[in-house]
Amino acid sequence: MWKKKSKLSDQTAVGQAGIKKKSKVPGVMITQFVEDIPEGKSHPDFTRKPIALTIQEGKLAIFKAIVIGDPAPTVTWSRNNGDVSDPKKYQTKFDPRILSDSFSVNEFGKASVTVVLNIDTLNFFKSNDSKIPFTSTVLNFLSFPHSKVRPKTEQKKEGEIDPKFWEILLSADKKDYERICAEYGVTDFRWMLKKLNEMKKEREEEQAQFVKSISNLKHIEVKGEGIASFEVDLDLIDPCSKVFVYKDGEMIECSREMEMEIKHSLKQVGKKFVFSIRDLLPDDAGLYQIDVEDVNMFSTEFKIPQVDFLVKIQEVKAMEREDAVFECVLSNPFSKIMWVGKNVPLENGEKYEISVSEDKLVHRLVVKDCMQVDKGIYAAVAGIKSCNAWLLVEADNDPNLHGKKKSRKATQAGGSGLDLGKIAADQQAKLEKERAERIEAAKTATADTDTAGGGAGDGGASSNSGYGSGSGSSAGSDGKVHLTSGLSDVYAVRGKPVELVCKLNNSKVDGDWSKDGEKVNCKDSDSGQYEFAAGDCKTSGMLTVGDAPEFDADELHKFSKPVVVKTGQNASFKMVFPPQDSLQIKWFKDGSELMDGGGVKVVKEANYSRLQIKDCLESDAGEIKIQLKNTFGTVEALSRLIVLGKPGAPKGPVEVLESTASVIELQWKPPSDDGGSAVTNYIIERQQAGQSLWKKMGDVSGDRVTFRDRNVSHGKRYTYRIYAENNEGIGKPLETDSIMAGTLIYPGQPAAPKVVSAFKNCINLEWSPPEKDGGTKILGYQLEKRKKDTNQWVALNSVNEPIEALKYAVKEVSEGSEYEFRVSAINASGAGEPSQPSSMVCAKNPNLKPHFKDPQDFMVVRAGNSARIKIDYEASPPPEIQWLKDNEPVSSWFNIVNIEGSSMLIIPSSQRSDSGIYTIVAKNSSGKTSFDIEVRVTDEPKRPGPVALEQVVHGRVIITWAPSPDEELDDRVHYMIAAHDSSCRVWRPIADRLFCTTYTTNVQSGQEYHFKVYAKNDVGLSEPSESPTWGVNNTSTFTSLPAMITFERPPSILVPLKVHTPPKGYQCFMTCAVRGCPTPYVSWYLDNICINSNKHYYITNAHGVCSMYILRVQPDDGGEYKVVAVNSFGKAECSTKLKVKGKKTFSFGNTLCGWSIV
């Protein structure tokens, strides 16, 4: 056992060992008082020493240090040339996480360290003490100016206007002047405005000494999460100017460092100053001011309304394009609350609709046209109170939309689900009643003032002093007085009464009380040794007066807030308290003491204790209690650990309240484990018997435990799953047994199946439905077959896969075998009685004349490619197939491939000579059928002949060329002209689908032109024929004709119409060239009927080239077409015939695919 010292000093006391030791931290001096330190104990030492500072005069200087030692060392600070006991200038703070010491002592030794503070004097005052050695931890060096606002402790003189009124007005908006005047009872607005303008001028002159400009003033407001802040931009002239913050005229300490985490903080980012208040309490209300040096820059008043949420906002689940509604009810009227969505304040507008009821109790937020980006946490903030909830947006996966945006819905999701109007009306009535009671109480108190009187008794001592009043005779058997119960040591709370008790064997004996040897009259507020003597009997006891453990009010408020964590996270509780001797610290959860070990860690220090629970499970949730106990009493503080997790499965068994042909109603019990947060809703899924798919049927709110499924079919069985959901997710399901809707009623017998047709691999049947359906819808039919000479009926489909139609093609047959069939109707209850069997039928093909299936009658093939002509047919028995070309058998060089149901003619390496009419002939015992196919073999056309240019009229050039040699072989050859001039070197088409060999185009003098002429057909373009250059260097000139010559002439046909024979559905393009002066009017006729206004025909006239275009030729388009050109000198006409062939076919390789080139 070591010897304790009753007093410690800076010098080594007499009897101390005085052993000097080195610390691991340079500059730290350690003196050890004893030679041997017991196991588990240690002398003081620094793990972090204070650092030297150089700071400007008037700024805040902070020294930090961390010390260790067991028992906890006593920390002191000193200054070599001054006193640090002035609390206004030097403030020592103890952070439970950072023990900040510089000179620390315990029973086993002491540790000390010295640090230098350098002060740079500016323009405020000069000091010779520029270097001050300190041994301190957290010191605030403040030069306190004074605010013009009167502190709350000072009383205002009668009739005087509080300076706070003017400070608020100087920083307020003009729209708030009337409200502020009403609050402070100022009615003379003209005088107020006059004086306010004078004060503003004075204030601006004062501010100009320290700041260049003041902007972006934002008054104090609650930001959520228990933090309020205001901000202002100050462009300081001297960046080293001192900035102070006041509350109600009293300076408040602010931290500028994030790690300090004290209640008030003032942060500077560039020109912006942001002041924040943490852990908001009602006492935080007041007038806050920010000053530079001794000049006020900005004032804002923080008012905390006495309001709370009677009904909080609830989680909302909405579909895309649907509106979501959040609603809440307040305890007191509030004109406007702050709505926050995903940490961003919301404003009334196109996206959000914010409304409030007339009584200002019901507040509502509507999120319009919800999309996936809108999901998140939304909060309502009223004063320092807030509540929040999730908005969940479910995607609309409707496959019918095909990626299109769904139209907006007119429905709304969410809301509280309660009668908010009634709740608000009840609260309004309650508020009015309380208001009336307060008024009545005030009137009563005023009336009783004149009659009220009082006197308090002196509270004198009782006539019975407690010493007893007997004669002193003994009642003992031996006649002597002795103690039956002596005094014991008592510990009493300072300021509280205490009682010392002893008992004698004779209650009639008088005795005397004494304290520390002196007789006392039972003053129980004194400590010391108390004795009682009665005759020869004496007893004594020690009375010790001290303080019971207690908590700081702010720390108790912080500790009382529940700690909310998610499953798997760590939870931490911390309580700070004044250090006391012999203090026992215990932690409890739900009444059971928590010990250090496993997932629980308990830290116990002299002035704080921390509890940490690692990897929290849902079972760790509960009431957390810390107990401080010493010999004078016990104090406890309560908090709560909430571990958020998914809820458990609802409790079963599920009760079926109703089961009919149209509805099934279920009831269950809430889960025993809600996951740490209330169940918000229940989700119900359903699976139909015989199916594997689970379908969501809907959800109900958390306060309901019933569900009605109205989408059921009579006789079918269903299994249900019920999930509980909270804010953390969806828990495990409770699954029911199979439940049938209604009772079983089977349908009647259908009519016997009838054979529609029979083939070797298929038999087609049909039947009639039963007369009785059993009261429910017929879902389908089950078909069975029986082979002749057998007794077994074989089902062709299962009951779970009914045949929905009244006919069926049976393909499970063998050629030549005979079968009979029967059918059963199926409803929700199952399959009914089978029908009578059908007649016996043999599986063989009937005799059928050959019939071609959708043949194609026209195709184009590129010369050199193989041509494949495939024709599908139906015939029984199989026919003989013959191919002809132009009514002659095809060449043996051609290949013919016949398979069942189709025939193909293959022409390898086709040539132009292979073009012609090909005929397929199919013949069997039932008849003969043939079909013609026109095959055209062609290739890319050869280029046109030489191109010539001629200018007859100024500004116009006539382009002529010799026709392509392929024009005689292919009546679909036409021409295309491309040109480019000296202003643009890019070739561009200027004419297409020309069936003539001349074209007139416009030219400009001074430019050079080049032309190319292409021949085109169904296969592609030929090589171009190029014209000579026309333009600047051209020797041809236009020669003016004599004035006597005239160009007027009657119309004439330069290029007549050609005969066209396009296939049906093909395009047709007719052209002719007409000349005349003046320009003739051209009309088109079909069978002598004018078609100029018929929109089926596209008719153009470009400088005498008249064209008529038919997009898709139909049989009605066939006939005689005529072009008539008329002017004042005469008329000219030409005509042709259009013959429409059958349906076109175009082949590419072996595949028929419309218009393709082979």
Side-chain angles (χ1 to χ4, degrees), residues 1041-1063:
L1041 298 178
M1044 298 299 294
I1045 298 176
T1046 178
F1047 292 99
E1048 294 180 340
R1049 68 182 66 183
S1052 62
I1053 305 297
L1054 298 179
V1055 179
L1057 295 172
K1058 291 185 178 181
V1059 177
H1060 294 269
T1061 57

Side-chain angles (χ1 to χ4, degrees), residues 20 78 92 209 233 264 277 310 448 501 521 539 589 593 651 758 953 985 1013 1025 1080 1125:
K20 301 294 184 180
S78 63
T92 303
Q209 300 176 13
D233 288 0
H264 304 97
I277 309 172
L310 297 180
D448 292 345
V501 179
N521 294 321
T539 181
K589 175 187 169 294
E593 185 176 359
K651 294 173 63 177
V953 179
R985 296 296 179 181
V1013 181
S1025 294

Side-chain angles (χ1 to χ4, degrees), residues 436-478:
E437 290 176 352
R438 288 195 299 269
I439 294 173
E440 186 64 26
K443 291 180 180 179
T444 303
T446 302
D448 292 345
T449 302
D450 297 334
T451 59
D458 59 3
S462 171
S463 59
N464 186 352
S465 63
Y467 291 143
S469 57
S471 61
S473 61
S474 174
S477 59
D478 56 359

Side-chain angles (χ1 to χ4, degrees), residues 889-929:
V890 297
S891 171
S892 60
W893 188 63
F894 294 172
N895 296 325
I896 299 175
V897 179
N898 293 322
I899 59 176
E900 185 177 1
S902 68
S903 177
M904 180 182 295
L905 174 66
I906 303 175
I907 306 175
S909 302
S910 60
Q911 302 176 0
R912 289 181 182 268
S913 60
D914 293 328
S915 299
I917 303 297
Y918 288 81
T919 304
I920 181 173
V921 180
K923 180 180 178 181
N924 66 2
S925 59
S926 298
K928 176 181 177 182
T929 304

